[in-house]
Amino acid sequence: KTSSVSLLISQLKSRRRIGFDGRGFVDLSTRLAKMPYQELTDLIGIGSLPIITKAIPDLLNQLPTSVCEGVLKNLWTLSQDEIIRNSSISSTEAFLLGLKKIMLDAVKNDPGSKQTISPAVLRALQKATIGYIFSDLCKNASPSNPVCMLNSENIWSSYIRCLEIIPVAVISESDVLKSEINLGNIYGIALCARVLSSMSGSSASNRTRKIETFIACQNYPGNSNNDIRVIDQIRAVLVTSLAIAPQPQSETEMKESVMNIFEIMLVQGVKTFGLELLAIKVAFWWESLHVNEQSSINVPVQRVTKLSSFLIAKNICFQFQSLPCDVLIQFYDACIADLPFKLALLCGRWRISDDVSNRAKRICNDGIRLRATTPKSEARRLENSLTCLRDIVQFITGEMLF
């Protein structure tokens, strides 16, 4: 079956003989592309579906404009059905590679080559990319989907490359990309934040700040009791923090980000993801500048564990999203343990020591009052948070809170 499908698709790109236009091959491929998932896979086999989805450049180039949009949407639906029904992302990867090829060919502007796709079809592809394709990726290529845990980097990399090609005027019309941030779309928005900011001309820090504010405002769930919904929520927030932390920021933007997180914790308290976000941002900043404890004079030498520097890399969110949730939490615990000294040193450089220590002290004192009413299942995390805040104050001012 796979050989037959490969032979059929190869006829879409082969040179036509005189007197033979190959419409039969195009018509047959179109009929296959319009079939429901179950009927199609019963006919050609599951392994043949990526061959069809990857052929969208050759297929759409030969179809009437009125037909292209429907064929594109159905091929995308088939690729998403494959994720849901057969736990495979092969067709989604193939589809996005084909979509990227169409868009790259369209923007080459080579005077010697003939236009292979109409402007109307190209615009339909662009609107689909920033519309239902993005929405489906947020749902099906998210950290909570075990199917995509190991392979979502290829999917998102291809999607972001497509996004980079789309004109700003088209992106500005997207209601999906401008929608309110929620747990369902925050991962996708975080991955695309840098591209969207650079294309719109807006400050990257503005878009990043919105994502960070959303994360820092989320209450950390209590004892999950193996509740899959709670585990998925924790995973989504932690992996998204890994996605947003490496976003390039200037020193001024980093200082503003740190102060913003502390301001949120002043209002929301310590039972949010604020400390986790702050810890991973400082860990990335520390490693990106190769800061070490002996690089600043008049600062006491303090050995950090270096666990928070383990595998710190640009695409860490993809590398870590396949880890069990409890391992992710342990990694963040290591980052929080190393936060006080790192932050104290950076605050000294940035001249915000007084502001940070004052806020950390107030947040810590508020958290201490929660000890008596905190359930036993949440007590360990509360104590870790209070210890971190206490140490931040101690490293900056020398004052011991408890």
Side-chain angles (χ1 to χ4, degrees), residues 221-231 234 377-378:
N223 188 14
S224 66
N225 290 323
N226 295 320
D227 186 334
I228 190 65
R229 290 172 299 179
V230 175
I231 293 174
I234 295 174
S377 60
E378 302 174 27

Side-chain angles (χ1 to χ4, degrees), residues 110-324:
D110 184 0
S113 64
K114 68 174 185 176
Q115 184 69 30
T116 56
I117 195 167
S118 72
V121 173
L122 179 61
R123 185 170 179 82
L125 299 184
Q126 293 168 345
K127 294 181 74 172
T129 302
I130 59 178
Y132 61 81
I133 291 178
F134 177 76
S135 296
D136 287 342
L137 285 180
C138 286
K139 178 173 60 177
N140 296 326
S142 68
S144 59
N145 188 342
V147 177
C148 298
M149 280 183 181
L150 296 175
N151 300 294
S152 68
E153 182 172 3
N154 291 338
I155 292 177
W156 281 107
S157 296
S158 295
Y159 177 81
I160 290 172
R161 185 67 187 102
C162 292
L163 197 63
E164 290 172 335
I165 305 170
I166 299 175
V168 176
V170 178
I171 290 181
S172 63
E173 299 173 0
S174 171
D175 293 330
V176 175
L177 291 175
K178 293 187 294 185
S179 60
E180 289 294 320
I181 296 175
N182 56 61
L183 287 173
N185 64 16
I186 188 172
Y187 183 61
I189 290 176
L191 290 173
C192 299
R194 177 187 57 81
V195 176
L196 295 174
S197 297
S198 63
M199 294 183 67
S200 64
S202 63
S203 171
S205 63
N206 292 337
R207 192 176 296 272
T208 301
R209 187 74 46 77
K210 290 180 181 179
I211 298 170
E212 291 177 356
T213 298
F214 179 87
I215 293 173
C217 287
Q218 298 302 301
N219 287 323
Y220 199 103
N223 188 14
S224 66
N225 290 323
N226 295 320
D227 186 334
I228 190 65
R229 290 172 299 179
V230 175
I231 293 174
D232 284 348
Q233 179 185 349
I234 295 174
R235 174 184 291 281
V237 175
L238 294 183
V239 175
T240 300
S241 298
L242 290 172
I244 201 65
Q247 298 286 343
Q249 287 184 301
S250 66
E251 188 170 280
T252 299
E253 290 170 341
M254 184 65 180
K255 288 189 292 184
E256 291 174 351
S257 178
V258 168
M259 295 308 301
N260 180 55
I261 295 172
F262 271 105
E263 290 293 340
I264 293 171
M265 288 195 292
L266 271 175
V267 177
Q268 302 285 343
V270 294
K271 293 189 175 183
T272 68
F273 285 92
L275 269 182
E276 279 80 4
L277 176 62
L278 181 63
I280 197 64
K281 283 185 65 67
V282 169
F284 269 101
W285 184 268
W286 184 274
E287 291 304 311
S288 67
L289 298 183
H290 304 290
V291 182
N292 62 74
E293 58 268 26
Q294 297 181 3
S295 63
S296 182
I297 60 173
N298 300 323
V299 176
V301 174
Q302 168 71 25
R303 184 177 299 279
V304 294
T305 68
K306 289 299 181 183
L307 284 175
S308 63
S309 302
F310 180 65
L311 285 181
I312 290 290
K314 181 179 178 182
N315 293 326
I316 191 175
C317 61
F318 298 118
Q319 299 166 9
F320 274 36
Q321 69 179 11
S322 61
L323 296 176

Side-chain angles (χ1 to χ4, degrees), residues 49-65:
L49 185 55
I51 300 173
I52 296 178
T53 55
K54 192 175 182 178
I56 58 172
D58 301 307
L59 182 58
L60 297 187
N61 287 343
Q62 302 181 58
L63 290 177
T65 300

